[in-house]
């Protein structure tokens, strides 16, 4: 029997950004302090989506590096995620942006075979499509169409990767 | 554009899509007719869904035209597949345009409509140009 080797698989590191809530707690009023309370900066709901897009780009890069024969199929999809990231970034307030390409960790583990790597990416695409659709439903009208297109694009990727 | 107007625009696009599939169906290779039938069924289902949303909003659903102009006459299997790509891209665009005008459950319907058309567009593109990328970064744009 081969011992299990999956224990250290990267697990959706991109999603951790979503879990970072701005937990700035208001200080108790200091006696004698006349300073107005500064409202805590609300995280932009698209920050985790940007991180997830960069994670997907990294996931495709990792899969292509490991299985170069997949480059023709995966390269164009990776490029579409770069365009998603670019478009999301353009809607964010530049003073608050945190995610950068260097921060990205692959969303999906590369997999033991080309088929496994492709299947893992397809699963990531389905999850990403769901997150983008969820963000779309609660987004303002100025962002909703972009998020709908990103969700649809990712659903298509999942189908194409089959 | 109001929510009702955007749903009417989607409905008109779905009517035109159903007409388009009727026009191209006979030119497809036999092996592609199942995909066309599935796609057309999707357009009929969404047409009915949008009509119901309009009726619920006390609006009269736009009726279909008797005929729609095609971008080019369809006379071959290749032309039929190209038209199918265009039909899906146009309906995808109508759904995408409706998204910002709608809220809540109606917006979810629009996302699903956009997604379904985008999937079919990619399938037809894959048949139109095997081996070339069949996806686009921003469906409906």
């Amino acid at each position: 029997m081969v011992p299990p080797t999956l224990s250290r698989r990267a697990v959706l590191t991109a999603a951790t950004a979503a879990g970072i809530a701005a937990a700035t707690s208001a200080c108790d009023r200091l006696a004698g302090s006349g300073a107005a309370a500064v409202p805590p900066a609300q995280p932009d709901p698209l920050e985790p989506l940007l991180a997830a897009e960069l994670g997907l780009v990294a996931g495709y890069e990792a899969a292509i590096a490991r299985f170069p024969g997949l480059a023709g199929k995966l390269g164009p999809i990776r490029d579409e995620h770069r365009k998603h990231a670019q478009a999301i970034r353009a809607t964010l307030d530049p003073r608050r942006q945190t995610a950068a390409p260097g921060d990205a960790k692959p969303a999906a583990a590369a997999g033991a075979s080309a088929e496994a790597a492709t299947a893992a990416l397809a699963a990531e695409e389905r999850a990403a499509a769901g997150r983008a659709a969820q963000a779309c439903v609660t987004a303002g009208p100025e962002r909703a169409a972009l998020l709908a297109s990103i969700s649809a694009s990712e659903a298509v990727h999942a189908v194409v990767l089959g | 554009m109001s929510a009702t107007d955007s749903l009417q625009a989607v409905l008109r696009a779905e009517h035109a899509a159903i007409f388009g599939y009727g026009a191209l169906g006979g030119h497809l290779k036999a092996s592609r007719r199942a995909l066309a039938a599935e796609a057309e069924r999707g357009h009929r289902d969404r047409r009915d869904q949008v009509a119901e949303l309009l009726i619920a909003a006390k609006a009269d659903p736009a009726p279909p035209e008797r005929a729609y102009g095609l971008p080019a006459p369809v006379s071959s299997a290749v032309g039929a597949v190209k038209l199918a790509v265009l039909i899906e891209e146009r309906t995808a665009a109508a759904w995408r345009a409706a998204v910002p005008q709608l809220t809540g459950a109606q917006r979810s319907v629009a996302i699903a409509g956009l997604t379904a058309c985008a999937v079919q567009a990619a399938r037809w593109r894959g048949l139109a140009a095997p081996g070339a990328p069949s996806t686009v970064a921003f469906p409906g744009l």
Side-chain angles (χ1 to χ4, degrees), chain B residues 14-132:
Chain B
E14 293 291 5
H15 283 317
I18 293 160
F19 176 88
Y21 274 103
L24 67 82
H27 297 279
L28 286 170
K29 286 185 193 167
S31 60
R32 293 168 181 181
R33 288 192 189 139
L35 176 56
E38 181 198 320
E40 183 177 344
R41 211 162 36 241
H43 289 294
R44 288 184 186 279
D45 290 347
R46 286 188 297 279
R47 172 201 61 188
D48 295 346
Q49 196 177 11
V50 177
E52 282 167 22
L53 291 178
L54 283 162
I55 289 165
K58 308 217 181 309
D60 288 333
E65 306 287 335
R66 272 197 296 170
Y68 294 82
L70 299 177
V74 182
S75 58
S76 67
V78 171
V81 171
K82 278 186 186 164
L83 177 58
V85 172
L86 198 64
I87 287 169
E88 298 300 342
E89 288 177 344
R90 286 186 178 178
T91 43
W95 281 110
R96 185 188 198 266
V99 165
Q101 314 300 331
L102 305 174
T103 55
Q106 289 194 345
R107 188 179 284 178
S108 294
V109 169
I111 299 167
L114 168 59
T115 301
C117 297
V119 166
Q120 299 296 8
R123 287 182 170 147
W124 287 118
R125 275 189 220 106
L127 293 172

Side-chain angles (χ1 to χ4, degrees), chain A residues 13 54 98-105:
Chain A
T13 46
L54 297 172
T98 52
D103 301 337
K105 304 220 170 49

Side-chain angles (χ1 to χ4, degrees), chain A residues 25-112:
Chain A
S25 59
C27 296
D28 290 333
R29 185 163 54 87
L30 294 171
S33 167
V38 177
Q42 291 294 316
D44 191 306
L46 296 200
E47 287 269 4
L49 283 192
L50 174 58
E53 290 294 340
L54 297 172
L56 280 162
V57 171
Y60 280 91
E61 294 283 17
I64 291 169
R66 187 150 174 198
F67 305 106
L70 293 176
K73 185 172 188 178
L74 302 187
I77 298 178
R78 171 204 58 202
D79 294 346
E80 290 178 4
H81 286 294
R82 285 191 175 134
K83 288 178 185 169
H84 294 170
Q86 204 175 9
I88 292 170
R89 193 180 275 121
T91 72
L92 296 177
D93 181 342
R95 290 165 299 181
R96 273 206 313 232
Q97 288 184 28
T98 52
D103 301 337
K105 304 220 170 49

Side-chain angles (χ1 to χ4, degrees), chain A residues 76-77 80 83-84 87 133 136-141 144-146 148-153 155-157 159-160, chain B residues 96-97 99-101 103-105 107-108 111 114-115 118-119 122-123 131 133-141:
Chain A
I77 298 178
E80 290 178 4
K83 288 178 185 169
H84 294 170
C136 176
V137 170
T138 53
L146 171 65
S149 274
I150 289 175
S151 174
S153 162
V156 173
H157 292 165
V159 170
V160 168
Chain B
R96 185 188 198 266
V99 165
Q101 314 300 331
T103 55
R107 188 179 284 178
S108 294
I111 299 167
L114 168 59
T115 301
V119 166
R123 287 182 170 147
S134 64
T135 59
V136 297
F138 302 106
L141 187 63

